[in-house]
Amino acid sequence: MTQEELKQITSQSERRTIEYKEAWSELPSNLFETVCAFLNRDGGVIVLGAHNDGTITEGVNPRAIDQMCKNIANISNNVEQLKPSFLLQPEIVDIHESLSANNKTQVIVIQVPASSQAHRFKNKFFDRSVDGDFELRTDAEISALYLRKSTLYTENTIFPYLRIEDFKHGIVNKARNLIHSMRENHPWLELDDMELFRQANLYRRDVRTGEEGFTLAALMLFGKDEVIQSALPYYKIDCVLRRVNTDRYDDRFTSFGNIIDGYSELMSFFERYFPDTFYMEGDQRVSLRNKVFREVVSNMLIHREYLNPSISLIDIRQDHVLIQNANRPLRAGVITPDNYTPHPKNPHLANFFVQMGRAEHLGTGVRNLYHYAPIYLGSEPTITDDDMFRIRLNIAESKRAELAISATESTTDSSEKTREKTREKTREKTREKIIQAVKENPVITTNGLAKTLGITVKGVEWQIKDLKSRGIIRRVGPAKGGHWEIIE
């Protein structure tokens, strides 16, 4: 959060989505009552080191501030304190610099999104009103909270027959590596896979029905292509380029797998057709292309209504880019930074993307698009919240020559890339089938694999050699009488 954004917040009085708390050297005793209330209602921003009216004098003790931030992260991730846990990432914001590092004025800002689950702190439920936090004491109040959450959010839909074996091989480790690259001491890195799924609220038990299992959010983050298509046969993101052949297309790509891989695929599609123009922000080089399209791609993946069968679309033209996504609107109309009220459609998906560094805190996406799109594309975006969430990025005429790569040049190159990507996807699916077949029958022969997979023996031998070189599979014992072993 920037100093300017903080000033904008502290210029407002406390309300249902803003809370100020004095905190010089330790966390306020009622801090997590407010966190719990924000999670259970509409989310909000907590500023530690500010008076009740938003004014900041001393702020937070610089000598205690790092430990206080660690305590916030640890308590929010502790299921014995906050249940279900919801990992928060507090930010330290400097109010002004001074000559001495120990004397500068700093505050802690905690951005708390609305959650798709009902939370309790120290076994008490809290909700939020314009007057502040209040405890839910009766069964009727608590039941109403659960009912409101279940009707608003579908990412918590439990798939009781979804298993870890249905997750793409290596995808959980890929997520761990992304989290590690953002924060080496991230508390999730110490957990085994099942503990990670539970802490990230991707495996849950419905306290009303007793149903237990992995959720829709877990399926979309880690699922194999075929498993996702089996559960959500209508799900796909259609990416088309129509710069020359506007009746049909110059190039096309369809993403229909898990959204961790899908993020990279969609970013690659934009990178193929938009140059990374040089731009300095202060004394740092900024990738305008990534600033703009990162927000677009993250929005498509973490805010989509996945139970809506409508197909998502990326349509690149000479004069604009249209992005549309299945949606459950909170209120219909055009969104601007002035009228936008951040509200996640899938809070746990969004939070997981934040931990991986592929999304920022709620509300920054709209601000970033309105800030960077005019610089990169020469025109403000149009964002519409409706049954289909739409972003139209208009490309000013003065920018078109600079940004448009010749379709005849790019499609020749990209067609081969698309074909190679298709071939690699086919090879990857074959590898996954071999791994599954070996798990089910470790003594299966090469001929047996060829018959099971419907490919040639040479094809199986090539795949086995590749899997060995990757350290995924090994042969134990002789060719005859031995067995295969999967290396975890």
Side-chain angles (χ1 to χ4, degrees):
M1 177 173 287
T2 65
Q3 290 182 7
E4 193 57 41
E5 289 170 338
L6 179 62
K7 286 179 184 176
Q8 212 170 24
I9 292 170
T10 54
S11 66
Q12 306 173 63
S13 60
E14 284 189 338
R15 56 193 63 195
R16 198 161 77 172
T17 57
I18 297 176
E19 177 79 12
Y20 306 118
K21 293 182 184 293
E22 296 183 22
W24 172 244
S25 58
E26 60 183 9
L27 298 179
S29 59
N30 63 350
L31 170 62
F32 274 86
E33 293 179 7
T34 302
V35 168
C36 184
F38 277 174
L39 288 168
N40 285 338
R41 183 52 65 173
D42 298 324
V45 179
I46 304 171
V47 181
L48 298 183
H51 301 298
N52 288 341
D53 60 359
T55 58
I56 298 168
T57 51
E58 294 181 325
V60 177
N61 187 344
R63 295 177 180 176
I65 199 165
D66 288 336
Q67 186 58 49
M68 290 167 69
C69 287
K70 287 179 184 176
N71 291 343
I72 292 168
N74 290 337
I75 295 172
S76 68
N77 197 49
N78 185 350
V79 73
E80 299 299 323
Q81 297 278 321
L82 182 67
K83 189 172 184 178
S85 60
F86 197 105
L87 182 60
L88 298 173
Q89 291 185 312
E91 298 177 77
I92 299 173
V93 182
D94 294 342
I95 303 304
H96 58 76
E97 297 290 342
S98 69
L99 295 177
S100 170
N102 290 332
N103 291 328
K104 62 185 176 183
T105 304
Q106 297 176 309
V107 298
I108 298 174
V109 178
I110 311 170
Q111 299 191 61
V112 185
S115 174
S116 57
Q117 292 182 255
H119 294 262
R120 54 189 183 272
F121 176 63
K122 292 185 175 178
N123 219 30
K124 294 179 181 180
F125 292 89
F126 293 90
D127 204 345
R128 183 80 176 173
S129 71
V130 291
D131 297 321
D133 314 320
F134 61 94
E135 184 184 350
L136 302 180
R137 298 177 182 274
T138 68
D139 290 343
E141 289 174 328
I142 296 171
S143 295
L145 171 63
Y146 276 102
L147 180 62
R148 174 163 53 83
K149 294 291 186 179
S150 66
T151 56
L152 274 178
Y153 302 100
T154 57
E155 68 167 357
N156 287 328
T157 302
I158 293 173
F159 288 80
Y161 299 110
L162 185 63
R163 301 287 182 261
I164 289 180
E165 291 75 19
D166 297 319
F167 295 164
K168 186 175 180 180
H169 183 74
I171 195 68
V172 177
N173 283 337
K174 181 177 180 178
R176 287 182 181 277
N177 290 336
L178 288 168
I179 293 170
H180 181 267
S181 68
M182 293 299 297
R183 183 176 165 192
E184 291 183 2
N185 61 345
H186 197 291
W188 285 358
L189 298 175
E190 301 175 358
L191 308 176
D192 63 32
D193 285 355
M194 277 307 301
E195 288 174 330
L196 170 63
F197 299 141
R198 291 181 187 276
Q199 287 286 67
N201 296 294
L202 305 175
Y203 186 99
R204 59 184 292 267
R205 182 175 67 89
D206 190 319
V207 296
R208 294 175 301 121
T209 66
E211 193 173 42
E212 184 173 350
F214 287 106
T215 64
L216 174 61
L219 172 67
M220 295 313 305
L221 281 166
F222 307 120
K224 295 177 181 177
D225 292 1
E226 60 269 25
V227 176
I228 292 174
Q229 288 298 294
S230 174
L232 307 173
Y234 46 79
Y235 168 67
K236 68 176 182 177
I237 301 175
D238 205 7
C239 309
V240 292
L241 174 76
R242 293 189 176 107
R243 283 179 173 163
V244 176
N245 190 343
T246 55
D247 293 330
R248 198 163 179 261
Y249 54 81
D250 307 317
D251 192 18
R252 183 178 185 179
F253 169 73
T254 301
S255 176
F256 51 81
N258 70 73
I259 64 174
I260 291 179
D261 286 340
Y263 176 92
S264 301
E265 294 170 348
L266 298 181
M267 285 300 293
S268 294
F269 193 78
F270 281 116
E271 289 165 6
R272 196 182 306 162
Y273 297 113
F274 285 89
D276 195 6
T277 56
F278 185 81
Y279 179 72
M280 293 293 293
E281 193 167 67
D283 59 354
Q284 290 189 328
R285 187 183 188 280
V286 172
S287 171
L288 291 174
R289 178 186 63 193
N290 288 354
K291 284 287 188 181
V292 171
F293 294 121
R294 177 178 182 267
E295 303 300 344
V296 167
V297 171
S298 294
N299 182 280
M300 292 195 79
L301 298 175
I302 64 180
H303 295 310
R304 177 192 163 100
E305 175 49 63
Y306 282 98
L307 296 186
N308 185 322
S310 302
I311 294 172
S312 298
L313 173 68
I314 294 173
D315 189 357
I316 301 175
R317 306 282 183 128
Q318 285 284 4
D319 62 345
H320 72 272
V321 180
L322 177 65
I323 302 99
Q324 63 181 34
N325 211 28
N327 186 39
R328 180 183 287 189
L330 291 176
R331 59 178 184 81
V334 175
I335 292 175
T336 68
D338 295 331
N339 69 6
Y340 178 52
T341 302
H343 198 287
K345 306 298 192 306
N346 301 299
H348 297 314
L349 281 180
N351 190 43
F352 206 94
F353 259 52
V354 168
Q355 307 309 319
M356 293 190 297
R358 289 185 163 179
E360 296 182 47
H361 287 290
L362 199 62
T364 56
V366 169
R367 291 196 298 270
N368 283 344
L369 275 180
Y370 268 88
H371 176 68
Y372 290 107
I375 302 171
Y376 186 55
L377 304 174
S379 182
E380 279 196 346
T382 303
I383 306 174
T384 308
D385 193 20
D386 212 327
D387 289 336
M388 293 296 288
F389 186 89
R390 290 182 175 85
I391 301 174
R392 182 182 169 106
L393 301 172
N394 295 309
I395 305 172
E397 190 170 353
S398 59
K399 288 280 188 177
R400 290 173 199 168
E402 178 186 352
L403 295 176
I405 302 171
S406 167
T408 55
E409 294 176 6
S410 59
T411 51
T412 300
D413 178 53
S414 66
S415 295
E416 180 54 37
K417 287 182 180 178
T418 301
R419 284 192 291 271
E420 176 55 32
K421 187 171 286 188
T422 302
R423 288 193 290 268
E424 177 54 32
K425 275 207 166 190
T426 302
R427 290 192 289 264
E428 191 170 343
K429 286 181 180 179
T430 302
R431 287 194 290 266
E432 289 177 357
K433 289 178 181 178
I434 289 174
I435 291 168
Q436 188 60 37
V438 167
K439 283 181 178 178
E440 294 173 358
N441 181 12
V443 297
I444 192 170
T445 63
T446 304
N447 286 334
L449 284 169
K451 289 179 182 177
T452 300
L453 274 61
I455 62 175
T456 64
V457 172
K458 282 189 175 182
V460 171
E461 290 172 345
W462 186 92
Q463 290 281 12
I464 290 291
K465 183 179 178 181
D466 183 58
L467 287 168
K468 284 181 177 179
S469 68
R470 291 168 180 250
I472 295 173
I473 194 172
R474 66 184 170 201
R475 184 74 182 176
V476 179
K480 291 185 178 180
H483 67 274
W484 297 107
E485 188 174 273
I486 303 298
I487 304 170
E488 295 297 339

